[in-house]
């Protein structure tokens, strides 16, 4: 497992320096665990969304998309179990005033035990913790922390408060007059917008089970500890798909979506060894099976996507709370020749964090390369982002700012900019301009030089290999198009 703190810090600085990610409202010193995407970050994020959306909806005939509102009727969150269950146990160190999520505090202590070779003790500690969390035994959790002499990572003391439950949902007021206003929540997941629209989509789209509904949108969680850059944010985006199936078929569809989603990740060219599945032992209140797809981030293997077999928990509860039938009539025939009839569908969910996927792409792409030769020291920082996701596809660079070269370069820009994102630049030496394009992950650059005027060819430079070759101007578009489609 990699745990490369230095690389992680370098990535954070790179994201800021090259216009990918800025701390939110930075001129006021930022807002904890909230970030803004800059000029290249917003392009990369949009490309990741498009890649997911196309693979889910366009390439699966039985999946359609929706875009539900962030505000939802407050009863939604009663029915979904979030009002009662969407909380984490937390604890504060009285001396340092540092707040911890209890499971994170115990898990990092277990990691230390494991690093010291005390694997059995670490395992038994985690098993005890899982049982206590499942039983909401807060006194037991505090005793576990104290008995193991777990200390605060800042002050080093073990002077702890009691363990308390902390609901992660943000609430606000809907309505203009305070006395009449209703308390509502900012959605902590996009999934419920899909469940409450299940009947609308099924009926108007004449959808036949099995079918899926996909959605991309913002979610909000008041995370207790949020200090891993965009890995854990308080405002983030999810790309979720709920797949509605016949009860009893959940095992096979769960396995199907595990495979399908890993295939999607690998289609972006990431090595298989960087991924692993983590099956959940401790299941969420709605699930009968669940796993995470984990990626080997510079901060270690961590969850990027969850796949959950959610049973009929959500639809059944919405039926109960709304008093509206959430049923589907299945006229396919069973083994005895009778229609399956009415039932509440079961659901398999795939839920990926857009921001975590962004961090994954950047972490996987980031490289510092030593290019020194015997006579010259040289290096570069390059983002080897898959061309289909790269913020800019083609850098267009006239060698010099005279002799008619900018005019030819501008003409190429005009011919290509409708097809894909291009970036025109004529300032600084060509070497510096290549480095800037490398740093934002531009997979191709073309240079217009004096020979262009004679034979209508340009130099194309490939980001990853840094190889250069001469190609006719009229082939630029098709070469780039082929690589990004
Ligand atoms: P974690 O255990 O890391 O808190 P989770 O299991 O609560 O995550 P889910 O509720 O399954 O996460 O949400 C699905 C996906 O949404 C996660 O796999 C992750 O990619 C993303 N996600 C969840 N919480 C956050 C967050 N605070 N910031 C960024 N992305 C998040």
């Amino acid at each position: 497992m990699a745990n490369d703190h230095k690389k992680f810090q370098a990535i954070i600085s790179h994201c800021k320096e090259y216009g990918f990610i800025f701390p939110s409202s930075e001129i006021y010193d930022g807002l904890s665990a909230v970030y803004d995407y800059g000029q290249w970050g917003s392009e990369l994020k949009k490309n990741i969304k498009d890649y997911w959306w196309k693979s889910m909806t366009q390439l699966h005939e039985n999946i359609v998309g929706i875009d539900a509102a962030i505000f939802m009727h407050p009863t939604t969150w009663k029915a979904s179990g979030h009002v009662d269950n969407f909380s984490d146990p937390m604890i504060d160190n009285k001396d340092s005033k540092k707040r911890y999520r209890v499971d994170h505090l115990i898990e990092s202590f277990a990691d230390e035990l494991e690093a010291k070779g005390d694997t059995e003790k670490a395992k038994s500690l985690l098993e005890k913790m899982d049982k206590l969390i499942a039983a909401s035994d807060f006194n037991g959790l505090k005793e576990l922390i104290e008995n193991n002499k777990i200390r605060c990572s800042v002050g080093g003391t073990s002077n702890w408060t009691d363990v308390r439950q902390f609901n992660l949902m943000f609430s606000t007021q809907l309505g203009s007059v305070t006395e009449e206003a209703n308390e509502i929540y900012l959605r902590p997941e996009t999934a419920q917008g899909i469940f409450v629209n299940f009947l609308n989509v099924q009926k108007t789209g004449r959808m036949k089970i099995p079918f899926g509904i996909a959605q991309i949108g913002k979610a909000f969680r008041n995370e207790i500890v949020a200090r891993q850059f965009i890995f854990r944010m308080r405002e983030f985006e999810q790309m979720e798909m709920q797949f509605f199936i016949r009860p009893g078929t959940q095992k096979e569809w769960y396995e199907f979506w595990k495979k399908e989603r890993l295939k999607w990740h690998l289609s972006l060219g990431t090595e298989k060894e960087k991924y692993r599945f983590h099956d959940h032992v401790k299941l969420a209140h709605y699930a009968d099976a669940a796993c995470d797809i984990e990626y080997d981030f510079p901060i270690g293997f961590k969850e990027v996507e969850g796949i959950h077999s959610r049973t009929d928990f959500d639809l059944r509860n919405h039926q109960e709370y709304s008093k509206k039938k959430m049923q589907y009539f299945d006229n396919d025939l069973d083994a005895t020749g009778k229609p399956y009839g009415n039932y509440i569908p079961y659901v398999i969910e795939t839920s990926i964090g857009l921001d975590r996927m962004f961090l994954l792409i950047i972490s996987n792409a980031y490289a510092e390369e030593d290019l020194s030769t015997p006579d010259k020291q040289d290096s570069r920082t390059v983002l080897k982002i898959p061309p289909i996701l790269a913020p800019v596809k083609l850098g267009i660079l006239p060698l010099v700012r005279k002799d008619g070269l900018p005019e030819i370069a501008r003409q190429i820009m005009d011919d290509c900019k409708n097809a894909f994102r291009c970036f025109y630049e004529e300032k600084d030496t060509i070497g510096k301009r290549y480095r800037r394009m490398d740093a934002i992950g531009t997979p191709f650059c073309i240079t217009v030089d004096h020979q262009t005027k004679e034979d209508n060819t340009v130099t194309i430079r490939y980001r990853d290999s840094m190889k250069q070759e001469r190609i006719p101007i009229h082939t630029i578009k098709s070469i780039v198009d082929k690589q990004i489609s």
Side-chain angles (χ1 to χ4, degrees):
M1 181 193 297
N3 205 336
D4 192 342
H5 186 68
K6 225 172 113 201
K7 180 172 175 191
F8 197 54
Q9 288 309 318
I11 288 172
I12 296 172
S13 308
H14 190 87
C15 281
K16 166 104 197 284
E17 190 180 342
Y18 286 94
F20 284 88
I21 296 171
F22 308 123
S24 157
S25 29
E26 197 185 4
I27 56 167
Y28 297 105
D29 296 334
L31 186 64
S32 165
V34 186
Y35 290 90
D36 296 339
Y37 286 81
Q39 64 276 29
W40 303 132
S42 55
E43 292 280 349
L44 172 57
K45 197 173 171 197
K46 185 185 165 298
N47 294 342
I48 297 173
K49 276 193 219 183
D50 290 348
Y51 190 70
W52 182 88
W53 188 258
K54 182 175 175 189
S55 81
M56 276 297 175
T57 63
Q58 199 171 322
L59 301 182
H60 288 100
E61 283 174 40
N62 57 350
I63 301 181
V64 291
I66 62 164
D67 184 8
I70 288 171
F71 293 148
M72 298 182 73
H73 192 284
T75 311
T76 309
W77 306 109
K78 260 319 257 180
S80 67
H82 282 82
V83 171
D84 296 325
N85 294 314
F86 195 58
S87 48
D88 285 327
M90 63 164 187
I91 195 166
D92 294 302
N93 184 278
K94 287 186 192 160
D95 300 321
S96 71
K97 309 280 182 259
K98 190 172 159 53
R99 176 163 293 175
Y100 292 88
R101 236 173 88 170
V102 169
D103 54 337
H104 287 175
L105 179 68
I106 298 175
E107 273 163 13
S108 63
F109 183 70
D111 282 347
E112 281 171 33
L113 290 175
E114 199 152 346
K116 285 187 210 144
D118 216 342
T119 310
E120 278 312 305
K121 195 170 170 199
K123 212 172 128 208
S124 123
L125 180 69
L126 293 176
E127 276 167 9
K128 278 188 200 147
M129 176 188 82
D130 284 348
K131 279 196 193 127
L132 292 168
I133 290 180
S136 298
D137 183 348
F138 297 158
N139 290 336
L141 282 166
K142 188 176 179 192
E143 271 169 33
L144 191 68
I145 291 170
E146 286 176 345
N147 292 346
N148 283 280
K149 301 194 172 55
I150 300 180
R151 292 172 177 279
C152 168
S153 62
V154 177
T157 72
S158 44
N159 187 11
W160 299 106
T161 61
D162 286 341
V163 174
R164 278 159 298 156
Q165 203 64 312
F166 181 79
N167 195 297
L168 302 184
M169 283 197 294
F170 287 99
S171 64
T172 185
Q173 305 288 320
L174 186 79
S176 50
V177 186
T178 325
E179 304 87 72
E180 287 172 14
N182 282 324
E183 187 183 39
I184 57 161
Y185 298 101
L186 297 189
R187 66 180 179 201
E189 61 175 25
T190 56
Q192 297 305 324
I194 294 179
F195 292 127
V196 300
N197 277 299
F198 163 71
L199 282 182
N200 284 339
V201 175
Q202 191 272 318
K203 293 217 156 78
T204 58
R206 296 153 53 90
M207 306 302 291
K208 209 167 148 10
I209 270 180
F211 74 91
I213 304 179
Q215 173 166 225
I216 300 177
K218 290 259 176 168
F220 304 82
R221 296 184 187 177
N222 200 1
E223 297 281 2
I224 299 173
V225 188
R227 56 181 144 73
Q228 284 167 320
F229 191 40
I230 58 168
F231 182 82
R232 191 173 297 285
M233 301 156 90
R234 297 203 163 104
E235 174 182 339
F236 58 101
E237 258 181 284
Q238 290 184 314
M239 306 190 284
E240 295 198 304
M241 192 279 300
Q242 310 296 327
F243 198 69
F244 299 93
I245 54 172
R246 190 179 293 149
T249 61
Q250 63 267 34
K251 275 208 175 73
E252 72 195 71
W253 282 114
Y254 176 66
E255 290 307 323
F256 172 86
W257 280 109
K258 271 177 83 169
K259 279 206 198 94
E260 194 72 2
R261 291 305 302 149
L262 184 62
K263 211 163 83 190
W264 180 86
H265 283 271
L266 298 178
S267 72
L268 287 166
T270 316
E271 307 99 286
K272 215 168 167 205
E273 297 67 47
K274 292 244 172 185
Y275 282 102
R276 72 180 187 196
F277 281 112
H278 170 243
D279 294 312
H280 287 203
V281 186
K282 185 180 81 189
L283 292 171
H285 58 275
Y286 49 75
D288 73 356
C291 69
D292 300 332
I293 297 180
E294 294 187 338
Y295 170 79
D296 193 3
F297 287 97
I299 44 175
F301 268 102
K302 301 245 176 238
E303 168 180 351
V304 62
E305 172 158 6
I307 297 161
H308 310 123
S309 174
R310 287 182 86 123
T311 67
D312 60 357
F313 176 89
D314 301 270
L315 290 181
R316 186 171 288 284
N317 277 358
H318 285 307
Q319 172 168 293
E320 193 186 316
Y321 278 80
S322 69
K323 309 277 181 271
K324 307 275 173 0
K325 277 216 154 36
M326 289 288 176
Q327 299 207 342
Y328 171 83
F329 185 79
D330 190 339
N331 50 20
D332 279 1
L333 304 180
D334 65 15
T336 67
K338 287 201 213 102
Y340 282 99
N342 267 316
Y343 56 78
I344 300 178
Y346 268 44
V347 170
I348 305 297
E349 164 183 81
T350 71
S351 173
I352 175 168
L354 174 55
D355 312 87
R356 277 194 201 171
M357 190 60 203
F358 184 108
L359 185 60
L360 184 159
I361 293 293
I362 294 271
S363 304
N364 203 51
Y366 183 89
E368 289 170 10
E369 292 180 346
D370 184 359
L371 306 173
S372 300
T373 56
D375 353 294
K376 201 173 142 224
Q377 288 251 321
D378 198 8
S379 67
R380 70 166 181 165
T381 301
V382 53
L383 292 182
K384 296 182 176 173
I385 299 173
I388 194 166
L389 300 183
V392 174
K393 312 297 186 202
L394 182 67
I396 300 174
L397 321 170
L399 186 65
V400 288
R401 268 201 266 184
K402 54 182 185 181
D403 304 335
L405 304 189
E407 286 73 13
I408 302 173
R410 280 271 172 216
Q411 185 59 50
I412 295 172
M413 176 87 183
D414 284 345
D415 290 344
C416 291
K417 70 183 181 193
N418 199 30
F420 40 77
R421 187 77 156 88
C422 304
F423 187 78
Y424 176 90
E425 199 177 27
E426 54 183 33
K427 226 173 129 212
D428 286 329
T429 63
I430 194 73
K432 278 193 183 147
R433 281 181 274 165
Y434 281 151
R435 290 291 185 274
R436 278 205 293 271
M437 288 291 104
D438 287 344
I440 65 164
T442 305
F444 314 102
C445 286
I446 55 135
T447 306
V448 175
D449 58 17
H450 291 94
Q451 192 183 326
T452 311
K453 285 170 63 176
E454 285 158 26
D455 62 6
N456 274 327
T457 63
V458 291
T459 305
I460 185 163
R461 173 188 182 268
Y462 298 95
R463 174 197 66 197
D464 297 352
S465 63
M466 294 169 48
K467 285 219 172 82
Q468 302 187 12
E469 60 191 19
R470 281 208 89 82
I471 55 163
I473 288 182
H474 71 267
T475 61
I476 297 173
K477 210 149 116 188
S478 63
I479 289 176
V480 177
D481 253 337
K482 206 166 133 202
Q483 303 277 343
I484 61 171
S485 57

